[in-house]
Amino acid sequence: EDVERFQPCALLLARTSSRTSADMGPAPIEALAPTFTIEVDSENKAKSLNIFSFNFPHHASFHMSWLGFFVSFVSTFAAAPMVAIIRDDLELTKPDLGNAGLAAVTGTIIARVIMGSVCDMVGPRYGLSIVLLLSAPFCFCMSFVTSAAGFLICRMGIGLGLATFVACQFWMSCMFNGKCVGIANATAAGWGNLGGGVTQFLMPLIYRGMVEGTQGRIFSAWRWAYLVPGLLHTIVGVAVMFLGQDLPDGNYKMLHTSGQLEKKTAGKTQYIGCANYRMWCMVATYGFCFGVELTMNNIVAGYLFDQFELDLVTAGVLASCYGLMNLFARSIGGLVSDYTSVKFGMRGRLWTLWLFQTVEGVLCVFMALSKDSLGVTILFMVLFSICVQAAEGASYGIVPFLTRRALGVASGYIGAGGNAGSTICMALFFTSPDIPTYDGLMYMGFTIIGVTLLVIPIHFPMWGSMFFPGDPTITEEDYYIKKEFTEEEIKEGLAVSVQKFCNNSHGERAPRHRPTAEEAAKV
């Protein structure tokens, strides 16, 4: 029975391979076929992640992707640990600070949506590099800010750099096989998010050095400190352009020219992505894991400074513990997602996400209730952070399977959902002077628990959902090819690369419905 289910795959490949060169357009040059020193699948995606390797193109692109995202996080939240000094210099009120924090994560919502289409059409390398270079001037302009409005505008411009996340996750989904895509996505994004923790202690140290360099002029020192993030944007933006590669087989321009890669249009991919209800469920749930992290990066240093009367450097160091959990916690989410996929298929990935994110909400409430003890607050903050990052990692263990043809669009909207979630949290819980920060944390925790219920209706026809199994008579080809391509497009061979993805996705089935090695070899 399983062999019969694979026959449409074989027929599709046979029909495509029998087409003439006139039908296919420019044929790939066989002599230039890529060779790799690591094990890859039929799409030339790496079957494993080695964080210590700089092997080109898979691991070189891995390091470029997380480094670009890391730099954007450092700059976006550079103001948070220096907020006490900036507040006095610019005479900012709590609503001014809340609105600026809101702008830092709100401005990139549209940028992330656009970045999804950019990745689909021209590739993640150009997308990541260009957004870093475009946001660099706002870092430099921060040195000249004299008003609350100028501060808000610069923070919004710098925050556009967070759109690098979409390119980062799209890139990893193109470079790594389903067996390790969860851990690859999670590690790249986790190390990128680490910038939100590093900046909490890095910027105060840079500021202190600038104070000495300016002979004690503290209101000049924070302005000079902003030159460092601007330089990082410029250097890394150029490095990504020249040291990365879009896909295992080459860059988009070369693959488009040779006819090996479909030239996608923004309208078609936007329609395919937006018509997928699963994407919208993930937009909402991601808003309350990644969105919560962005919110905490904005408020946690100020909360510790005000609630427990700490000095600026101490508050920054303790606040950095929240972001520093990205060093390993997001990878844990991806690793557990990959492991449960092996044991239970896609249903295991969905349960992993729900569990991590629900516990995240509970721990957020406990952190709020610990407002009278610094030690207990830090303990719950760290545990809360671990679950936030793990939920993010588990989320992007699922995203690569939502859609294949519109993966960039789905990544863009879901990434934008993270920023939208932060905007909602900041606006509802942390901008009003009538809501103490610890009460805002409690309200946010209950909201997280409620929104996470949207994982339940995510159902893949062939794989199932949290509470319902998939239909074994439905194949991956039905979902990824027949649903997203017309008969004419299939005959033109536009679905050939997606067919390979379907073959490599059989591991997301329930174990009893997976093909044996002999059956898979017949595909």
Side-chain angles (χ1 to χ4, degrees):
E1 181 185 352
D2 282 337
V3 176
E4 291 177 356
R5 289 169 54 204
F6 301 144
Q7 286 178 353
C9 317
L11 289 173
L12 176 61
L13 289 174
R15 184 194 313 145
T16 305
S17 63
S18 66
R19 291 161 54 228
T20 64
S21 59
D23 295 327
M24 289 289 290
I29 301 173
E30 194 69 28
L32 297 181
T35 58
F36 306 99
T37 58
I38 59 175
E39 187 179 4
V40 298
D41 65 11
S42 59
E43 296 177 272
N44 289 332
K45 293 181 180 180
K47 290 187 174 182
S48 62
L49 171 69
N50 180 359
I51 61 174
F52 301 106
S53 172
F54 289 86
N55 180 278
F56 187 86
H58 302 89
H59 292 95
S61 297
F62 164 77
H63 290 294
M64 286 296 98
S65 68
W66 78 257
L67 187 58
F69 188 35
F70 174 89
V71 167
S72 72
F73 246 84
V74 168
S75 60
T76 298
F77 298 103
M82 300 188 293
V83 69
I85 305 301
I86 298 173
R87 178 175 58 193
D88 293 342
D89 185 12
L90 302 179
E91 299 180 351
L92 303 176
T93 63
K94 182 176 179 180
D96 289 334
L97 290 172
N99 290 333
L102 207 62
V105 296
T106 302
T108 194
I109 292 176
I110 296 176
R112 286 190 168 195
V113 172
I114 294 173
M115 178 64 79
S117 292
V118 169
C119 289
D120 277 330
M121 292 188 296
V122 301
R125 185 175 56 99
Y126 274 127
L128 199 155
S129 176
I130 290 172
V131 78
L132 283 177
L133 295 175
L134 288 178
S135 52
F138 290 97
C139 297
F140 295 123
C141 287
M142 187 67 90
S143 301
F144 305 100
V145 166
T146 58
S147 66
F151 181 65
L152 183 147
I153 291 170
C154 283
R155 287 214 66 188
M156 177 177 286
I158 295 170
L160 295 177
L162 292 180
T164 53
F165 168 77
V166 177
C168 169
Q169 297 296 269
F170 180 91
W171 210 351
M172 295 302 93
S173 297
C174 293
M175 284 289 179
F176 293 91
N177 173 269
K179 295 180 178 179
C180 63
V181 71
I183 185 66
N185 268 332
T187 304
W191 287 6
N193 284 9
L194 191 62
V198 170
T199 198
Q200 300 287 348
F201 66 81
L202 177 64
M203 293 309 295
L205 293 177
I206 295 173
Y207 163 77
R208 180 177 290 179
M210 295 301 179
V211 169
E212 295 179 3
T214 57
Q215 299 179 344
R217 294 195 293 272
I218 59 173
F219 291 164
S220 295
W222 75 264
R223 300 172 184 273
W224 282 101
Y226 257 99
L227 296 179
V228 175
L231 289 172
L232 289 175
H233 271 243
T234 305
I235 294 169
V236 176
V238 173
V240 168
M241 185 72 74
F242 291 100
L243 299 180
Q245 181 172 292
D246 290 316
L247 297 172
D249 295 332
N251 288 320
Y252 266 47
K253 184 176 181 180
M254 182 272 288
L255 295 174
H256 283 153
T257 302
S258 66
Q260 299 177 68
L261 186 66
E262 175 194 3
K263 290 185 178 180
K264 300 176 182 178
T265 61
K268 181 167 290 187
T269 55
Q270 284 284 338
Y271 173 78
I272 292 172
C274 291
N276 191 326
Y277 85 90
R278 300 164 194 81
M279 183 192 80
W280 295 110
C281 291
M282 292 295 296
V283 167
T285 59
Y286 198 66
F288 285 86
C289 53
F290 184 65
V292 167
E293 178 179 4
L294 296 180
T295 301
M296 292 298 291
N297 284 337
N298 266 320
I299 66 145
V300 69
Y303 173 61
L304 296 177
F305 181 85
D306 294 330
Q307 182 71 16
F308 300 104
E309 299 180 349
L310 304 176
D311 63 80
L312 187 65
V313 174
T314 302
V317 170
L318 291 177
S320 71
C321 294
Y322 190 91
L324 288 176
M325 296 304 103
N326 276 294
L327 186 62
F328 66 91
R330 188 157 183 161
S331 297
I332 288 176
L335 193 62
V336 173
S337 180
D338 288 341
Y339 176 78
T340 54
S341 170
V342 172
K343 294 293 184 180
F344 309 106
M346 176 56 68
R347 299 178 71 188
R349 292 189 188 272
L350 294 169
W351 273 102
T352 297
L353 172 58
W354 178 83
L355 182 62
F356 275 130
Q357 195 154 317
T358 299
V359 175
E360 165 199 331
V362 172
L363 291 171
C364 183
V365 172
F366 285 169
M367 178 181 171
L369 294 174
S370 306
K371 66 182 186 299
D372 296 323
S373 171
L374 176 61
V376 178
T377 294
I378 298 302
L379 172 63
F380 280 120
M381 182 188 75
V382 169
L383 295 175
F384 170 36
S385 176
I386 290 172
C387 286
V388 169
Q389 327 304 344
E392 293 167 4
S395 295
Y396 271 81
I398 297 169
V399 171
F401 300 98
L402 295 178
T403 172
R404 191 58 194 166
R405 200 177 190 187
L407 176 59
V409 169
S411 297
Y413 275 100
I414 293 167
N419 289 75
S422 180
T423 300
I424 292 168
C425 289
M426 289 292 295
L428 292 180
F429 309 134
F430 301 108
T431 55
S432 173
D434 298 326
I435 302 178
T437 302
Y438 49 80
D439 281 345
L441 287 169
M442 182 177 296
Y443 301 150
M444 185 169 70
F446 289 129
T447 306
I448 292 167
I449 296 170
V451 172
T452 304
L453 294 174
L454 286 172
V455 176
I456 296 174
I458 298 177
H459 183 89
F460 292 85
M462 62 289 190
W463 299 331
S465 53
M466 284 178 61
F467 294 106
F468 299 99
D471 184 346
T473 65
I474 299 176
T475 67
E476 288 76 10
E477 289 74 21
D478 294 328
Y479 182 80
Y480 292 110
I481 295 180
K482 293 181 180 179
K483 187 177 179 181
E484 298 186 352
F485 292 86
T486 64
E487 286 294 329
E488 291 73 20
E489 289 173 332
I490 293 174
K491 291 177 181 178
E492 290 174 9
L494 299 183
V496 172
S497 62
V498 180
Q499 177 65 59
K500 294 179 181 178
F501 177 80
C502 292
N503 296 340
N504 292 321
S505 299
H506 293 158
E508 299 304 317
R509 299 175 180 177
R512 66 182 180 277
H513 296 308
R514 293 171 189 168
T516 64
E518 293 77 11
E519 290 170 338
K522 296 178 182 179
V523 177

